[in-house]
């Protein structure tokens, strides 16, 4: 059974700083997803990582996947207030997409 | 394309009542999913479907039923509502072709059972 763990669960950081959110998963996952959720809103897909060593970047966000370590990271570069949101990672096994608990990111001006 | 649509947006149920949450997608996606999100928590998979006529249980299926008679529609049925089913329910869909896997979410249904 696939289990997905994120850390930290809450992160408060200053604008302009860099930080990384970690996503560990318990067993083989066919792919790894990252999402963003704003308060009271639905989820928005950010990245889908398909293979070991995959790296994807969009603006100040960069996601990577290490399937041997069963680890994905979401790196935030020079954070800005607009990136404040909850970020979820999810894994896929046997057609089920299973989510972590999310990381609530609060970026202080 | 409207994407993934869900109705209703909000609903208050009394304990023991039943209701159906509707979900429709117009992207011809083969995979569809139902999740619930409790306050401040992640998403839990209730049921999923890999195509019309095929459904399977997720992590928390008890108290719910689904059907998938068409590619477009994936309704979620609550038969005997309980306070523990108070949550926000999200429907999602994916076109899994071997090349594309992006998951699209509906706007959600906020359900309160009292």
């Amino acid at each position: 059974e696939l289990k997905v763990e994120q850390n930290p669960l809450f992160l408060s950081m200053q604008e302009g700083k860099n930080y990384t959110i970690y996503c560990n998963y318990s067993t083989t996952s066919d792919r790894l997803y990252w999402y963003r959720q704003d308060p009271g809103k639905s989820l928005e897909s950010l990245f889908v990582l398909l293979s070991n060593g995959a790296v994807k970047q969009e603006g100040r966000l960069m996601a990577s996947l290490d399937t041997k370590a069963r680890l994905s990271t979401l790196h935030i570069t020079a954070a800005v207030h607009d990136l404040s949101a909850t970020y979820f990672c999810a894994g896929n096994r046997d057609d089920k997409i299973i989510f972590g608990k999310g990381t609530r990111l609060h970026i202080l001006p | 394309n409207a994407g993934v649509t869900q109705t209703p947006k909000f609903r208050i149920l009394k304990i023991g009542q039943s209701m159906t949450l509707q979900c429709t997608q117009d992207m011809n996606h083969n995979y569809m999913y139902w999740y619930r999100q409790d306050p401040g928590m992640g998403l839990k998979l209730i049921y999923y479907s890999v195509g019309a006529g095929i459904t399977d249980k997720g992590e928390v299926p008890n108290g719910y039923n689904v059907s998938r008679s068409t590619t477009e529609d994936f309704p979620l049925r609550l038969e005997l509502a309980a306070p523990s089913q108070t949550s926000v329910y999200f429907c999602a869909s994916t076109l899994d072709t071997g090349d594309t896997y992006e998951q699209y979410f509906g706007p959600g249904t906020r359900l309160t059972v009292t």
Side-chain angles (χ1 to χ4, degrees), chain A residues 68-80:
Chain A
K68 293 177 183 176
R70 294 181 184 159
L71 171 68
S72 181
T73 60
L74 181 67
H75 187 74
I76 302 143
T77 302
V80 293

Side-chain angles (χ1 to χ4, degrees), chain A residues 1-2 31 33 35 37 40-45 48 50 88 92 94-102 104, chain B residues 31 33 35 37 40-43 45 48 50 57-59 90 94 96 99 101-103 105-108 110:
Chain A
E1 183 181 340
L2 176 63
R31 58 197 76 98
Y33 305 79
Y35 302 83
Q37 185 180 37
K41 303 291 187 182
S42 185
L43 279 77
E44 173 192 358
S45 177
V48 183
L50 303 181
F88 292 95
N92 180 314
D94 297 332
D95 296 323
K96 299 177 187 177
I97 300 178
I98 304 298
F99 281 73
K101 291 184 177 179
R104 188 176 301 180
Chain B
Y31 285 66
Y33 310 84
Y35 293 91
Q37 184 177 33
M41 301 294 287
L43 279 73
L45 180 64
Y48 67 101
V50 302
K57 296 177 180 178
E59 301 170 278
F90 289 104
T94 301
D96 195 331
D99 293 319
Y101 303 98
E102 191 169 345
Q103 193 180 36
F105 278 80
R110 188 175 298 272

Side-chain angles (χ1 to χ4, degrees), chain A:
Chain A
E1 183 181 340
L2 176 63
K3 294 191 186 301
V4 179
E5 289 189 2
Q6 288 181 239
N7 68 85
L9 297 182
F10 182 80
L11 178 59
S12 183
M13 54 192 290
Q14 297 282 342
E15 275 193 328
K17 300 290 188 184
N18 304 334
Y19 210 80
T20 300
I21 300 170
Y22 297 89
C23 176
N24 292 92
Y25 53 97
S26 62
T27 186
T28 304
S29 178
D30 297 327
R31 58 197 76 98
L32 201 290
Y33 305 79
W34 284 97
Y35 302 83
R36 170 181 172 145
Q37 185 180 37
D38 292 308
K41 303 291 187 182
S42 185
L43 279 77
E44 173 192 358
S45 177
L46 295 173
F47 304 109
V48 183
L49 303 168
L50 303 181
S51 59
N52 188 44
V55 176
K56 290 197 173 181
Q57 184 164 5
E58 180 75 31
R60 300 175 189 273
L61 300 178
M62 183 175 71
S64 65
L65 179 62
D66 181 344
T67 58
K68 293 177 183 176
R70 294 181 184 159
L71 171 68
S72 181
T73 60
L74 181 67
H75 187 74
I76 302 143
T77 302
V80 293
H81 181 68
D82 285 353
L83 290 178
S84 295
T86 299
Y87 293 86
F88 292 95
C89 67
N92 180 314
R93 185 171 173 85
D94 297 332
D95 296 323
K96 299 177 187 177
I97 300 178
I98 304 298
F99 281 73
K101 291 184 177 179
T103 296
R104 188 176 301 180
L105 178 63
H106 184 210
I107 298 171
L108 304 168

